[in-house]
Amino acid sequence: MSLRPLPARAPAALLREAKPLKALFGEARRLDRLQQLVESQLQPAAREHCHVASWREGSLLLIVTDGHWATRLRYQQRRLQRQLQNMEEFTSLSRILFKVQPPETPRHKPGPSPELSMRAAGNIQETARGITDPKLKAALERLASHAKPAAED
């Protein structure tokens, strides 16, 4: 008896058919729709700084990129709430909450270290000769040993 693998299916089909994925996909689409509605009522400059996090039991939670934008949006909160309540999706809106959450900054990827010229290495070696602390002297000598000869044309 051989075990045959199931035929491959398109990711979109899996999202529509698998119950947990289907629920997750539906929630993502719902939040995307709510995001569009909220953005339609925000000033163009504020749109990129404000994202819908959740909408349940009359409470809308918006994530804002920094305190400056949170303050600006709090000043506009009543107007925004009235405008959203006029939309079918937000008729039961009773409050808007703002949470400041700065976007994640990309981690610095270590790149190639800068090359040490022979001249700089010579200066470091000269400095090391005048140092009496053995650990510091050894560290400077190790550093100087990383010099690369200049490429000749």
Side-chain angles (χ1 to χ4, degrees), residues 101-121:
Q101 184 176 358
E104 284 191 34
T105 56
R107 298 183 189 258
H108 175 69
K109 296 180 182 174
S113 57
E115 292 187 17
L116 185 63
S117 70
M118 293 303 286
R119 181 176 178 185

Side-chain angles (χ1 to χ4, degrees), residues 5 12 23 28 32 43-44 52 54 57-58 86-87 92 96 108 116 121-122 128 145:
D32 186 50
Q43 299 169 348
V52 174
S54 69
E57 299 173 9
N86 291 331
M87 298 177 178
S92 63
I96 300 175
H108 175 69
L116 185 63
S145 71

Side-chain angles (χ1 to χ4, degrees), residues 49-50 63-74 98-103:
H49 301 283
C50 182
I63 301 294
V64 187
T65 58
D66 59 47
H68 165 78
W69 283 105
T71 301
R72 287 183 67 171
L73 289 168
R74 283 186 185 107
F98 298 97
K99 181 178 178 185
V100 175
Q101 184 176 358

Side-chain angles (χ1 to χ4, degrees), residues 34-52:
L34 296 175
Q35 178 70 33
Q36 290 172 0
L37 293 173
V38 169
E39 284 181 358
S40 73
Q41 302 306 312
L42 292 175
Q43 299 169 348
R47 291 176 185 159
E48 67 181 275
H49 301 283
C50 182
H51 304 283
V52 174

Side-chain angles (χ1 to χ4, degrees), residues 78-95:
R78 288 186 186 176
R79 176 197 57 82
L80 180 61
Q81 185 171 340
R82 279 193 311 270
Q83 289 174 323
L84 290 174
Q85 284 172 332
N86 291 331
M87 298 177 178
E88 183 179 334
E89 289 86 346
F90 291 110
T91 53
S92 63
L93 179 63
S94 60
R95 67 182 184 162

